[in-house]
């Protein structure tokens, strides 16, 4: 697929023709020494006309130097070294922080796809973190009515998440225990690298319905989303008291994480719905290649960069007066909108190229906005059709509303009518949905010509609490304490 | 019953194949002295490398140098089984592991897999502060053995009500007696399944037949009659014959139940297996696809699991009181949930599963997960 290849084991960088230049740069798991070589590669690339993407990617490869030197450990190695995985994660953070002077939400460089992302920090990982290749997202209903039990579960989950994101096994591991008893860890991630696994928890509006004494802590921004025109929401794929977003570069690692959390949660929570995603559709490293959605278009070119501290503070992280009163516990958190958007790929594929490009307001090859040459050229909205997707979604059309998107494509087989059950699992983070997703989606739902080819079939909103600060902290402490 | 069951022949072949594969992989690490006890089995001998070993995690590495397929057991002095490995082919290796408390044991090799085998006295020393097998555990096993026998004994007359109705050609009476006739079986299914051959005769579903088996000839038991009553809506000569066969096969079960091998861990894992049965067959509505009496089986499975749990509770409470509290809570929650589907708590008349909607099935499934997950930890709490 036309994305950054993230296979550190294959530094040769595969290379479908036009992309070999930028692919070889970030692919380099073992490349810190060869970073200058990557530089040469980009210099040789201008002919491809896509240089601006490859250059910063190479920069990231350099940033990864301190960690990449050690090469990411396998899960067994991590265990054998006992905590070395965490130390390595710290090395990644330290190295990158030195270069970027960041405030704790340091993204692990894209190139370092086997590494561990630090779990602790002021914000949860998995938001500003460079988007990984794979997703397993799960929404849970809380089935216990006992607040103390729920709190204990959140603590248990936090401890398990600390271990799994570091590449370690849950509890006492996957083997070697009592032969008469099932092992603590399910074992399918044994021998795999941490794969930049991030686990991000969220709390849905329904958690604040009074069962757990949280009514007076529901932030004003944690609203029920309005019904948008054209929505065809399946309740069985919507809502949820809790969610966990698992992102990783290896699907097995993401699935293992959700499976083990679900297992720890049985009796206290029940999986309400879940979604697998296989191809990121946006990137928080927008200087790198923007990935394409299943319609074949680059969408999300203007996404907020994980390194854009100011943009994140303005649009993503809750703080200041937004973190007062009932929302005080949200200081450092964010709000996540999840939408399962079904794409009618068969009808789309029968649509003429010119019409496809008109619908998005971009050209298909380069992703350049109408009338421009390069993907990242500033779009001239008036040149686009008034009902084009990019024009309607653009911040300028929505009073500056800006979302951090980290959606994924999904394909859940076939739908029984022979059509691909596929689409976009849209995930967007923002500091307030009332000024973020809601105005944008209102304008899109009303007029977007793309609506002919898509349908929103699942929806959920979650308050994403701040990060877990250290070993003594846990997911949701500020809310429940 | 499990969706796919191996016939005795296939199972033996598979096991032999597996043993052969294991044999290859085992060779590489057989040299290290990691406390493993080596057993060399021949047609007329059973050589054990150590007569005494520390209690705890014990591993037997077995090599069959004889000409016959053999099996190896670790036995308590009263012949109850600690652990076993069957179908070790000539020239192959296999391994067994067990968590063993201090005390006297026997290792037995059974060339040809028949008879009492060749016995060797061994001793597990020290460990676990010299803890011996507890009288509580022995009591639990004895009481569970009685329970299983009582369930089996009580099943026969109920089955006869059912099969008599079939023989009389009375569809309505047969339908009425069907679900009730299965309750004792469903409560103790893991024990019945441990015999291997009875379950496929009495409780197999049509999709459980193997390729080459003819449903018209080879499909016997409850579910074959269920289909005749609810789907085909007729009782012919073949069905009447099948009623006789069911009586006969279940009489055989009742006779053999008393000899079943039961240990505290097999009781604990059996309880969990009953919940597995619910999770894979009942919650989905597959088990009783024609009669839709799945909730009756569901209830019986839960009752059987609860019986094991209740009997093991004295031991488990000492080792893991939190787990016991959690299990009591989850058993109560699941029973409360099931009670929603019957008007009279003393009867086994449950709502037809056909009428149980998708959200309610999800709720039942969540309840099963909530109980089965901690129940899977019961065996650890028992052997700890």
């Amino acid at each position: 697929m036309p994305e950054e290849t993230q296979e550190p084991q294959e530094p040769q960088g595969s290379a479908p023709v036009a992309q070999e230049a930028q692919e070889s740069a970030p692919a380099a798991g073992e490349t810190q020494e060869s970073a200058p070589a990557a530089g040469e590669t980009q210099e040789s690339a201008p002919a491809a006309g896509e240089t601006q993407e490859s250059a910063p990617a190479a920069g990231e490869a350099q940033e990864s130097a301190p960690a990449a030197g050690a090469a990411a450990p396998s899960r067994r190695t991590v265990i054998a070294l006992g905590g070395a995985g965490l130390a390595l994660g710290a090395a990644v953070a330290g190295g990158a922080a030195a270069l970027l002077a960041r405030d704790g939400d340091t993204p692990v460089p894209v190139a370092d796809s086997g590494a561990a992302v630090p779990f602790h920090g002021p914000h949860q990982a998995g938001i500003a973190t460079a988007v990984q290749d794979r997703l397993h997202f799960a929404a849970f209903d809380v089935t216990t009515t006992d607040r103390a039990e729920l709190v204990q579960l959140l603590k248990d989950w936090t401890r398990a998440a600390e271990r799994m994101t570091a590449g370690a096994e849950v509890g006492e591991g996957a083997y070697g225990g009592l032969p008469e008893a099932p092992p603590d860890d399910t074992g399918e991630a044994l021998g795999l690298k941490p794969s930049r696994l991030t686990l991000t928890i969220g709390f849905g509006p329904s958690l604040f319905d009074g069962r757990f004494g949280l009514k007076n802590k529901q932030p004003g921004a944690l609203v029920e989303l309005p019904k948008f025109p054209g929505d065809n929401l399946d309740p069985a794929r919507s809502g949820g008291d809790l969610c966990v977003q698992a992102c990783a570069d290896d699907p097995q690692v993401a699935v293992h994480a959700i499976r083990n959390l679900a297992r720890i949660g049985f009796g206290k929570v029940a999986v309400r719905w879940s979604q697998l995603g296989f191809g990121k559709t946006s990137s928080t490293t927008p200087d790198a290649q923007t990935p394409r959605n299943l319609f074949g278009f680059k969408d999300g070119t203007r996404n907020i960069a994980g390194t854009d501290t100011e943009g994140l503070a303005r649009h993503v992280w809750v703080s200041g007066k937004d973190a007062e009163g009932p929302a005080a516990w949200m200081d450092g958190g964010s709000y996540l909108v999840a939408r399962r958007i079904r794409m009618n790929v068969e009808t789309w594929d029968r649509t003429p190229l010119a019409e496809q490009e008109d619908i998005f307001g971009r050209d298909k090859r380069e992703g350049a906005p109408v009338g421009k040459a390069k993907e990242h050229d500033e779009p001239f909205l008036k040149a686009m059709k008034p009902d084009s997707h990019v024009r309607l979604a653009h911040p300028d059309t929505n009073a500056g509303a800006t979302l951090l998107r980290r959606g994924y494509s999904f394909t859940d087989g076939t739908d029984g009518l022979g059509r691909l059950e596929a689409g976009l699992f849209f995930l967007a983070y923002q500091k307030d949905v009332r000024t973020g997703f809601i105005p944008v989606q209102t304008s899109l739902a009303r007029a977007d010509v793309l609506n002919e080819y898509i349908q929103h079939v699942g929806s959920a909103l979650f308050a994403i609490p701040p990060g877990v600060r250290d070993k003594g902290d846990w997911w949701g402490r500020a809310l429940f304490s | 019953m499990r969706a796919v069951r191996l016939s005795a022949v296939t199972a033996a072949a598979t096991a032999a194949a597996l043993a052969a594969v294991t044999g290859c992989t085992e060779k590489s690490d057989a040299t290290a002295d990691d406390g493993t006890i080596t057993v060399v089995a021949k047609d007329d001998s059973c050589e054990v490398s150590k007569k005494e070993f520390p209690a705890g995690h014990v591993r037997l590495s077995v090599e069959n140098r004889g000409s016959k397929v053999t099996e190896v057991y670790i036995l308590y002095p009263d012949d109850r089984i600690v652990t076993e490995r069957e179908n070790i082919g000539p020239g192959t290796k296999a391994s067994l592991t067990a968590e063993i408390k201090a005390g006297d044991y026997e290792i037995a090799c059974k060339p040809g897999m028949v008879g009492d085998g060749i016995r060797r006295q061994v001793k597990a020393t020290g460990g676990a502060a010299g803890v011996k097998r507890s009288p509580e555990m022995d009591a639990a096993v004895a009481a569970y053995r009685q329970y299983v026998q009582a369930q089996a004994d009580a099943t026969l007359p109920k089955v006869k009500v059912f099969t008599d109705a079939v023989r009389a050609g009375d569809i309505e009476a047969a339908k009425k007696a069907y679900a009730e006739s299965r309750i004792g079986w469903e409560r103790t299914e893991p024990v019945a399944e441990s015999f291997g051959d009875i379950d496929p005769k009495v409780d197999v579903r049509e999709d459980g037949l193997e390729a080459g088996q003819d449903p018209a000839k080879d499909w016997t038991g409850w579910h074959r009659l269920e289909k005749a009553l609810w789907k085909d809506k007729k009782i012919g000569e073949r069905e009447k014959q099948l009623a006789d066969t069911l009586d006969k096969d279940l009489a055989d079960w009742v006779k053999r139940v008393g000899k079943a091998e039961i240990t505290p861990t097999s009781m604990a894992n059996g309880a969990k297996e009953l919940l597995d049965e619910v999770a894979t067959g009942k919650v989905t509505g597959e088990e009783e696809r024609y009669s839709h009496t799945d909730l009756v089986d569901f209830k019986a499975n839960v009752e059987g699991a609860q019986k094991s749990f209740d009997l093991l509770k004295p031991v488990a409470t000492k080792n893991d009181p939190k787990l016991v509290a959690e299990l009591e809570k989850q058993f109560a929650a699941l029973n409360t949930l099931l009670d929603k589907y019957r008007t009279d708590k003393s009867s086994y008349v449950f709502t037809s599963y056909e009428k149980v909607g998708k959200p309610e099935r999800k709720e039942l499934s969540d309840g099963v997960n909530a109980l089965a997950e901690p129940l899977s930890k019961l065996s650890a709490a028992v052997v700890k």
Side-chain angles (χ1 to χ4, degrees):
Chain A
M1 287 314 294
E3 297 177 6
E4 307 93 328
T5 308
Q6 297 174 352
E7 294 289 335
Q9 306 89 326
E10 294 172 34
Q12 78 279 12
S14 56
V17 207
Q19 277 149 7
E20 58 193 359
Q22 70 272 42
E23 281 192 335
S24 63
E30 301 113 59
T31 7
Q32 77 279 34
E33 270 99 19
S34 64
E40 284 160 26
T41 322
Q42 346 145 0
E43 275 150 34
S44 69
E50 291 168 356
T51 353
Q52 76 277 32
E53 285 156 16
S54 61
E60 281 161 12
Q62 284 154 359
E63 280 156 34
S64 75
S74 77
R75 280 166 189 262
R76 282 296 350 156
T77 319
V78 169
I79 297 145
L81 297 176
L86 290 169
L88 177 78
V92 174
L99 285 159
L100 297 169
R102 297 193 34 74
D103 60 355
D105 54 300
T106 309
V108 170
V110 171
D112 206 2
S113 68
V117 177
F119 180 75
H120 298 123
H123 310 295
Q124 290 196 68
I127 303 170
T129 309
V131 181
Q132 301 90 327
D133 282 348
R134 303 292 182 137
L135 170 81
H136 191 185
F137 188 96
F140 297 84
D141 291 324
V142 178
T143 51
T144 181
T145 51
D146 183 341
R147 180 181 159 120
E149 247 186 20
L150 174 58
V151 166
Q152 189 56 50
L153 171 70
L154 292 169
K155 291 176 179 172
D156 293 348
W157 269 8
T158 307
R159 300 287 88 86
E162 276 166 351
R163 289 187 62 82
M164 290 192 287
T165 53
E169 295 157 86
V170 172
E172 290 176 13
Y175 57 82
L178 278 181
E180 291 87 354
D184 285 351
D185 186 281
T186 54
E188 74 272 29
L190 283 174
L192 300 178
K193 292 176 179 177
S195 307
R196 293 198 303 133
L197 172 68
T198 53
L199 293 166
T200 314
I201 200 170
F203 303 132
S206 53
L207 192 70
F208 297 81
D209 60 6
R211 279 174 294 165
F212 306 103
L214 299 174
K215 251 187 171 160
N216 58 1
K217 287 196 169 181
Q218 179 164 3
L222 192 60
V223 294
E224 292 290 345
L225 294 175
K227 157 97 172 76
F228 298 102
D231 277 5
N232 181 20
L233 304 182
D234 176 358
R237 287 190 185 277
S238 299
D241 295 330
L242 303 174
C243 75
V244 178
Q245 170 197 280
C247 297
D249 290 325
D250 184 327
Q252 183 120 333
V253 170
V255 169
H256 168 264
I258 293 295
R259 174 176 167 194
N260 280 272
L261 293 181
R263 192 176 172 214
I264 293 167
F266 283 134
K268 276 80 81 182
V269 295
V271 175
R272 181 180 173 89
W273 54 271
S274 84
Q275 182 66 55
L276 291 169
F278 64 84
K280 62 183 177 193
T281 57
S282 55
S283 130
T284 50
T285 45
D287 295 338
Q289 169 97 271
T290 300
R292 292 173 189 266
N293 60 27
L294 288 183
F295 284 157
F297 275 78
K298 294 183 179 182
D299 189 19
T301 297
R302 292 285 301 258
N303 209 17
I304 304 171
T307 48
D308 178 3
T309 315
E310 195 201 330
L312 291 169
R314 184 159 359 113
H315 299 294
V316 178
W317 305 129
V318 178
S319 66
K321 69 174 173 40
D322 296 321
E324 286 171 3
W329 61 275
M330 278 293 287
D331 195 4
S334 188
Y335 292 91
L336 169 64
V337 171
R339 305 279 286 186
R340 187 173 196 267
I341 304 173
R342 173 77 193 268
M343 289 173 157
N344 302 323
V345 295
E346 289 82 3
T347 50
W348 175 262
D349 294 345
R350 292 171 203 136
T351 304
L353 175 62
E355 196 180 332
Q356 291 186 358
E357 294 186 331
D358 279 349
I359 287 170
F360 272 96
R362 288 184 181 279
D363 85 321
K364 198 161 192 176
R365 178 183 178 276
E366 167 63 25
V370 173
K372 299 294 173 85
K374 295 277 182 282
E375 184 198 343
H376 291 272
D377 288 351
E378 191 58 35
F380 180 55
L381 297 183
K382 288 194 174 138
M384 299 175 181
K385 303 232 159 158
D387 52 6
S388 77
H389 181 70
V390 167
R391 181 167 177 174
L392 288 167
H394 197 275
D396 290 355
T397 317
N398 298 287
T402 305
L403 310 170
L404 186 155
R405 279 160 295 174
R406 31 184 312 136
Y408 286 82
S409 291
F410 70 84
T411 305
D412 295 341
T414 317
D415 70 355
L417 297 171
R419 307 178 301 185
L420 201 62
E421 168 74 51
L424 169 64
F425 189 64
F426 174 92
L427 294 169
Y429 288 86
Q430 62 242 273
K431 76 185 322 179
D432 193 332
V433 290
R434 294 168 299 185
T435 54
F437 178 75
I438 292 175
V440 176
Q441 182 57 21
T442 303
S443 81
L444 286 173
R446 203 176 284 144
D448 189 358
V449 68
L450 192 59
N451 291 337
E452 197 180 317
Y453 300 94
I454 62 173
Q455 188 168 49
H456 288 232
V457 294
S459 175
L461 171 64
F462 299 96
I464 306 297
V468 173
R469 287 181 312 201
D470 50 43
K471 275 279 183 191
D473 197 5
W474 43 279
W475 271 334
R477 183 188 44 79
L479 171 61
F480 286 89
S481 299
Chain B
M1 87 123 246
R2 308 243 176 267
V4 180
R5 181 166 298 285
L6 302 172
S7 73
V9 176
T10 335
T14 311
L18 286 174
V21 171
T22 321
C24 297
T25 55
E26 299 275 320
K27 272 174 191 139
S28 56
D29 57 19
T31 49
D33 183 21
D34 53 358
T36 299
I37 302 158
T38 313
V39 178
V40 177
K42 298 183 184 165
D43 290 349
D44 53 1
S45 71
C46 184
E47 298 160 17
V48 177
S49 67
K50 290 177 200 166
K51 293 280 166 64
E52 274 195 25
F53 46 84
H57 193 76
V58 171
R59 183 169 181 273
L60 294 194
S61 173
V62 181
E63 184 178 0
N64 183 2
R65 290 198 200 144
S67 64
K68 298 174 184 167
V69 175
T70 191
E71 53 193 18
V72 171
Y73 292 79
I74 301 178
L75 300 164
Y76 294 111
D78 58 2
D79 262 15
R80 285 179 301 121
I81 296 167
V82 180
T83 184
E84 65 177 308
R85 178 78 184 246
E86 298 179 326
N87 286 308
I88 305 167
T92 66
K93 288 186 172 184
S95 71
L96 303 76
T97 58
E99 203 67 26
I100 288 184
K101 292 185 174 174
D104 293 322
Y105 295 87
E106 284 183 344
I107 290 174
C109 304
K110 277 193 200 176
M113 311 214 313
V114 290
D116 288 342
I118 305 157
R119 305 288 182 104
R120 291 291 169 260
Q121 308 291 328
V122 294
K123 191 183 196 70
T125 55
V131 177
K132 292 273 194 289
R133 291 188 315 275
S134 73
E136 279 161 326
M137 286 217 212
D138 292 344
V141 170
Y144 187 68
R145 193 177 287 285
Q146 277 176 18
Y147 171 76
V148 170
Q149 188 69 55
Q151 289 301 317
D153 291 343
T155 296
L156 281 195
K158 287 185 178 149
V159 168
K160 189 155 182 301
V161 174
F162 171 63
T163 51
D164 280 350
V166 172
R167 280 183 287 264
D170 185 341
I171 291 183
E172 281 318 303
K175 280 181 166 182
K176 236 178 119 193
Y178 171 76
E180 183 109 9
S181 76
R182 295 174 42 76
I183 290 172
W185 171 271
E186 290 288 331
R187 281 177 181 150
T188 59
E189 205 168 348
V191 175
E193 284 185 342
S194 74
F195 301 124
D197 58 335
I198 297 178
D199 184 82
K201 289 181 188 164
V202 303
D203 200 25
V204 74
R205 298 192 299 265
E206 189 167 7
D207 44 84
L209 298 177
E210 287 176 49
Q213 283 191 311
D214 178 3
K217 287 201 305 260
D218 301 322
W219 187 19
T220 58
W222 270 302
H223 294 299
R224 165 68 179 78
L225 291 168
E226 180 203 1
K227 188 181 182 192
L229 294 170
W230 273 274
K231 180 144 185 279
D232 308 335
K233 299 185 172 65
K234 58 175 201 277
I235 296 174
E237 276 317 300
R238 174 69 182 152
E239 283 72 30
K240 291 176 185 176
Q241 280 171 19
L242 286 169
D244 294 343
T245 309
L246 182 61
D247 282 341
K248 189 170 70 60
D249 289 337
L250 287 172
D252 179 32
W253 163 57
V254 172
K255 239 186 286 165
R256 284 160 66 181
V257 152
K259 295 173 199 152
E261 294 150 2
I262 298 170
T263 65
T265 46
S266 81
M267 279 171 66
N269 283 324
K272 182 210 58 121
E273 282 160 27
L274 282 167
L275 267 292
D276 294 345
E277 294 277 336
V278 176
T280 54
K282 277 74 174 188
V283 160
T284 56
E286 282 170 84
E287 178 83 16
E288 304 289 0
R289 63 187 61 168
Y290 310 111
S291 67
H292 306 294
T293 53
D294 303 87
L295 288 175
V296 182
D297 297 1
F298 190 143
K299 178 70 182 173
N301 285 160
V302 172
E303 284 175 335
Q306 196 157 8
K307 185 71 186 179
S308 288
F309 167 60
D310 285 342
L311 294 172
L312 293 171
K313 218 188 295 183
V315 182
T317 305
K318 278 188 199 163
N319 294 329
D320 194 345
K322 263 177 76 182
L323 178 69
V324 169
E326 175 69 14
L327 286 170
E328 290 193 319
K329 192 177 115 188
Q330 296 300 347
F331 268 117
L334 189 55
N335 280 320
T336 306
L337 195 54
L338 279 169
D339 283 343
K340 281 171 45 182
Y341 298 96
R342 56 178 178 177
T343 45
D344 175 1
K345 286 186 194 176
S346 65
S347 94
Y348 282 84
V349 179
F350 280 84
T351 307
S352 165
Y353 206 56
E354 224 180 353
K355 299 205 175 85
V356 178
K358 226 176 154 185
E360 288 76 29
R361 289 184 183 201
K362 164 85 164 57
E363 192 182 26
L364 286 164
S365 175
D366 289 343
V368 170
N369 279 331
L371 172 58
E373 187 64 30
L375 199 52
S376 72
K377 300 186 168 80
L378 181 60
S379 56
V382 168
V383 298
K384 219 181 254 177

